[in-house]
Amino acid sequence: MKNTWLLGFGFFSISLGWSLYNGFVPFFLDNYLTSTALIGFLMTIDNYIALFLQPYIGRHSDGTQTRFGRRMPYLLIGIPFAALFFALIPLHTNLLTLLIFMLCMNLSMAVFRSPTIALMPDITPESQRTKANGIINFMGGCGAILAFSVGSFLFSFSESLPFFVVSAVFLLALWIVFTNIKEHRDGISLTNTEVPKINYKEELNAPTLYLLAAIFFWFIAIQGMEALFTLYGVNELGLSQSASAFSLTFFSLSFVLSAIPTGLLGAKFGKKKVIVIGVIGLILSFLLLNWVDSVIYLRAILFIGGVFWACVNINAYPFIVSSGSKHSYGTRTGLYYLVSSLAAIISPPTIGLFIDLFGFSVLFLAAAGSLFFALICISRVNDKETQNLATNNL
C-alpha cells in the first residue's frame, strides 16, 4: 500500500487544483461577463474536453511503450504544462487571455488525468483495488478541503497566491510519483516485453455496458443534486445561501471519512454488493430528504447519504477495470470519465428543467428516480460473468 499512498499525491494535486479552479475562476470571469449562464458554460469546459480527449488519451496510454512506462510519459508532459497555465490564470490581462489560459490548463489536465488514475490498477493487485481507491479518494478529498479552507485564506491576501501554491504542489506531486513509482518495477499488469492487444468488441461486453449505464445514472443524480442543492435550500427550505452551502459540506465530509472503510468493505464482501447497498441507501436518503424541513435532520441525512455515496463511488472504478483485460485499464478509465463527464453536462440542465416545470420539491425525487435506473443497471451486472470475462482476457 506504500505505492498507493505515494500515488495518492497525484490525486491530491488533481483534486486540489480542480477545487480551487471551480471555486475562484468564476470570480475572474464575473469581471468580464454579465451572463451567469455563460460563466457556467465556460466552467464546464473540462467536461467537454473529458468527453472526447480523455477516452482517447486513456486508450492511447494502454499501447504506449517507453523506458518510463505506459502512463508516466503523460504525467511528465501534462503536469508541468498544467502547473504553468494554472499559475498564469490569475495573471490574465483581459477576457481573451483568461480564456486561453483556462483552455490550455484544461487540455493539460486532460493529458495526464486518465493515465494517472490508470496507474492505480497497474500497480495494485485486483483484491486490493477497492482499498487503494479508497485511499486515493481520501487524499483527493483532503485536497478539496484544503482548497476551500487554506485556498480561501490565501486568496484573501492575494488572488494569485493560491494559484501559485497549487502550481508548486503539482510539480511536487510529479516529483514524488516519478521518483518513487517505477512502472517496469512496480507494475503487476504487464511485463516489460508485452505489447497490449485490445479487442474492443470483447472489452465492451454486456457487464461493462450495464456498469457504464449505472455509472451514468448515479452521476446524473449526484451531479444534479450537488449543482442545484444550494438553490433548493434557499427556495424550498428558506435557508440563507451560506447555510445552504454549509449543509452540503456534510455530504462531502462523510464521503471523505468513509472512503477508506467502504473500500475495505468492497474488498471483503464484493464490489457489486457494496455498490448495490450504496445505491439503495442513497435512494432512501433522497426520498427522506424530500420531506425534511429541519436543518438538523437535513444535515444528518446528508451525512448518512455521503456514506452511501462512498459505497458506490469508491467501488465503481475498480469494478469497471475488473470487468476487462489487464491491457485495457487506460481505455476503461477513459470510458469511466466519458460517462461521468456526459452526466455532468446533461444533469444540471435536465434536472433544472424538471424544477422549472414542477418546483424545487422535485429535486430529490428526480435524483432518486435516476438512482433507481442505476440500481436496475447494476443489478444486471453478473459478478461471476465479469470475473470470467476478465480471466479469459488475461
Side-chain angles (χ1 to χ4, degrees), residues 2-66:
K2 176 186 175 182
N3 282 345
T4 302
W5 285 100
L6 292 170
L7 180 59
F9 281 101
F11 290 83
F12 175 86
S13 65
I14 291 172
S15 182
L16 181 68
W18 278 126
S19 298
L20 194 80
Y21 178 89
N22 291 329
F24 298 114
V25 169
F27 293 135
F28 298 144
L29 291 170
D30 193 50
N31 293 328
Y32 302 102
L33 302 171
T34 57
S35 170
T36 304
L38 181 56
I39 291 173
F41 170 76
L42 292 172
M43 290 302 296
T44 62
I45 290 175
D46 62 301
N47 290 310
Y48 289 94
I49 292 175
L51 198 63
F52 300 102
L53 187 57
Q54 285 190 182
Y56 171 79
I57 294 291
R59 177 173 61 110
H60 199 266
S61 71
D62 284 331
T64 299
Q65 295 289 322
T66 73

Side-chain angles (χ1 to χ4, degrees), residues 1 19 32 109 119 161 170 227 233 253 289 291 301 338 340 362 368:
M1 286 289 108
S19 298
Y32 302 102
M109 293 285 282
L119 258 179
L161 187 56
F170 278 163
L253 178 62
L289 283 169
W291 286 282
I301 296 174
L338 186 149
S340 61
V362 80

Side-chain angles (χ1 to χ4, degrees), residues 65-357:
Q65 295 289 322
T66 73
R67 65 189 182 94
F68 298 113
R70 294 191 293 168
R71 321 296 182 189
M72 199 63 69
Y74 298 91
L75 279 70
L76 293 172
I77 295 171
I79 293 178
F81 277 107
L84 170 64
F85 290 113
F86 203 87
L88 288 175
I89 285 175
L91 303 181
H92 67 275
T93 56
N94 51 49
L95 179 60
L96 179 60
T97 56
L98 174 60
L99 293 177
I100 290 173
F101 296 152
M102 288 172 58
L103 179 61
C104 291
M105 193 279 292
N106 277 276
L107 287 171
S108 301
M109 293 285 282
V111 168
F112 72 90
R113 191 175 185 182
S114 288
T116 301
I117 293 166
L119 258 179
M120 187 275 283
D122 279 349
I123 65 174
T124 309
E126 201 281 330
S127 61
Q128 298 180 30
R129 285 177 191 159
T130 55
K131 179 182 178 182
N133 202 40
I135 290 172
I136 60 180
N137 273 273
F138 171 78
M139 295 191 70
C142 291
I145 292 170
L146 285 176
F148 291 119
S149 54
V150 178
S152 298
F153 177 74
L154 296 176
F155 193 81
S156 65
F157 283 97
S158 168
E159 293 183 350
S160 301
L161 187 56
F163 288 85
F164 294 161
V165 171
V166 169
S167 293
V169 171
F170 278 163
L171 298 176
L172 176 62
L174 175 60
W175 179 79
I176 291 173
V177 173
F178 179 71
T179 56
N180 288 280
I181 297 178
K182 307 298 181 183
E183 290 187 60
H184 294 313
R185 180 194 67 198
D186 302 320
I188 61 168
S189 302
L190 296 170
T191 67
N192 293 346
T193 59
E194 279 185 301
V195 178
K197 295 181 180 180
I198 304 173
N199 186 323
Y200 295 103
K201 185 176 181 180
E202 290 183 2
E203 292 296 335
L204 291 174
N205 48 63
T208 297
L209 293 175
Y210 279 122
L211 184 52
L212 288 172
I215 292 168
F216 173 78
F217 283 119
W218 66 54
F219 271 113
I220 284 282
I222 299 300
Q223 294 279 1
M225 185 277 291
E226 290 183 338
L228 300 170
F229 177 83
T230 303
L231 292 175
Y232 172 87
V234 171
N235 291 278
E236 187 69 16
L237 302 179
L239 302 176
S240 66
Q241 292 179 344
S242 59
S244 184
F246 180 69
S247 297
L248 193 57
T249 62
F250 285 81
F251 187 82
S252 302
L253 178 62
S254 65
F255 172 83
V256 172
L257 295 176
S258 305
I260 295 176
T262 53
L264 293 172
L265 289 174
K268 183 174 182 179
F269 298 106
K271 294 179 280 290
K272 179 182 173 180
K273 289 180 181 178
V274 177
I275 289 173
V276 169
I277 291 171
V279 173
I280 294 173
L282 278 171
I283 292 173
L284 295 175
S285 297
F286 284 176
L287 290 176
L288 285 174
L289 283 169
N290 193 61
W291 286 282
V292 166
D293 55 8
S294 165
V295 176
I296 295 176
Y297 290 133
L298 172 75
R299 292 172 178 173
I301 296 174
L302 283 172
F303 189 89
I304 295 171
V307 177
F308 287 123
W309 174 228
C311 290
V312 176
N313 199 29
I314 297 303
N315 290 282
Y317 175 67
F319 201 11
I320 194 72
V321 297
S322 72
S323 62
S325 74
K326 62 183 179 182
H327 305 295
S328 65
Y329 294 156
T331 301
R332 290 176 170 276
T333 302
L335 289 172
Y336 177 85
Y337 277 104
L338 186 149
V339 296
S340 61
S341 298
L342 186 62
I345 293 169
I346 293 174
S347 179
T350 302
I351 295 184
L353 177 61
F354 279 104
I355 291 174
D356 288 340
L357 294 173

